[in-house]
Amino acid sequence: MQSRCIQQAPELRVPWWIDGEGRSMAPLKLSDLGDGFKVIFCFQHWCPGCHSHGFPTLQKLIKALGDRGFAFAAVQTVFEGAESNTFERLRETQLRYGLNIPFGHDPAIGRASSLMADYGTRGMPWFLVIDPLDEVLYSDFELDERQLIGAFGASNDGLKAA
C-alpha cells in the first residue's frame, strides 16, 4: 500500500444506508463494523473507474480478507451527478456485484459529501483502510489489493475469478 496518512478516523456521518440485503437501516457507525480492520470503498454510480477497477478490487478484498477480521462498507459519495447517483441505485449496484455489505448514500452539502469533507477524499473510486485503533492507514484512489492481501497473509490465488 503506497499512500499512508495515519490520522484518527472521523465518525461516519453518512445519513442513508441499506444493509447487505437491501433493507434501509440506521446510519452506520465505525463501531458497527466491529473491532478489526475496516475497508470503506467510496464510489459514484456513474463512475466508469468505480465499475472497471473499484468494485472488482472490493470483491477481491472481501473474498480474501472477509474472514480475517476485516469488515467492509461502500459509500456513494455524491459531489456531482445527483440525478444518477441516487439512494435508489444503491441496491442495483449491490446486486450487480453480489456484495452483501452495507451501502451508504452521502449527498453533497455544498461542494462535498460529509465523508469527503471528513476524510479529505478527492474523487472516485476511493479506498479507506482503517485499523482496529480507528486510525486511517490508507486513503487514496487506487489500492493494490495484492499488496494488502499479502500483508495479512491471505492468499492471492484465484483473485482473477472474483
Side-chain angles (χ1 to χ4, degrees):
M1 296 185 329
Q2 317 159 300
S3 182
R4 289 182 60 90
C5 64
I6 296 177
Q7 69 178 55
Q8 194 64 32
E11 186 55 78
L12 299 175
R13 297 185 296 135
V14 177
W16 294 300
W17 289 87
I18 60 172
D19 66 14
E21 302 298 318
R23 297 178 297 246
S24 290
M25 61 182 274
L28 190 78
K29 301 291 181 202
L30 287 174
S31 61
D32 296 332
L33 293 171
D35 296 331
F37 287 89
K38 301 155 188 69
V39 175
I40 300 174
F41 172 60
C42 303
F43 73 98
Q44 288 195 4
H45 183 79
W46 71 343
C47 166
C50 296
H51 294 286
S52 66
H53 170 74
F55 280 109
T57 297
L58 180 61
Q59 287 174 311
K60 291 171 187 175
L61 292 172
I62 291 170
K63 181 178 179 182
L65 299 173
D67 62 352
R68 292 185 173 262
F70 278 74
F72 299 87
V75 178
Q76 181 172 246
T77 53
V78 183
F79 60 94
E80 58 188 358
E83 64 284 344
S84 295
N85 298 301
T86 64
F87 177 77
E88 292 75 25
R89 305 297 292 265
L90 292 182
R91 183 64 176 157
E92 175 186 334
T93 306
Q94 200 177 45
L95 289 171
R96 177 177 177 180
Y97 294 99
L99 296 171
N100 187 18
I101 63 172
F103 269 60
H105 178 74
D106 195 20
I109 300 168
R111 295 184 58 144
S113 72
S114 67
L115 191 142
M116 292 181 76
D118 293 346
Y119 283 84
T121 68
R122 298 180 308 278
M124 300 302 121
W126 196 273
F127 285 90
L128 298 165
V129 179
I130 300 169
D131 73 8
L133 298 174
D134 285 341
E135 294 175 328
V136 178
L137 296 180
Y138 183 88
S139 178
D140 212 329
F141 286 105
E142 291 194 31
L143 179 70
D144 181 341
E145 72 271 5
R146 291 187 180 277
Q147 189 176 10
L148 179 61
I149 291 165
F152 287 89
S155 173
N156 282 307
D157 296 341
L159 287 184
K160 290 186 179 186

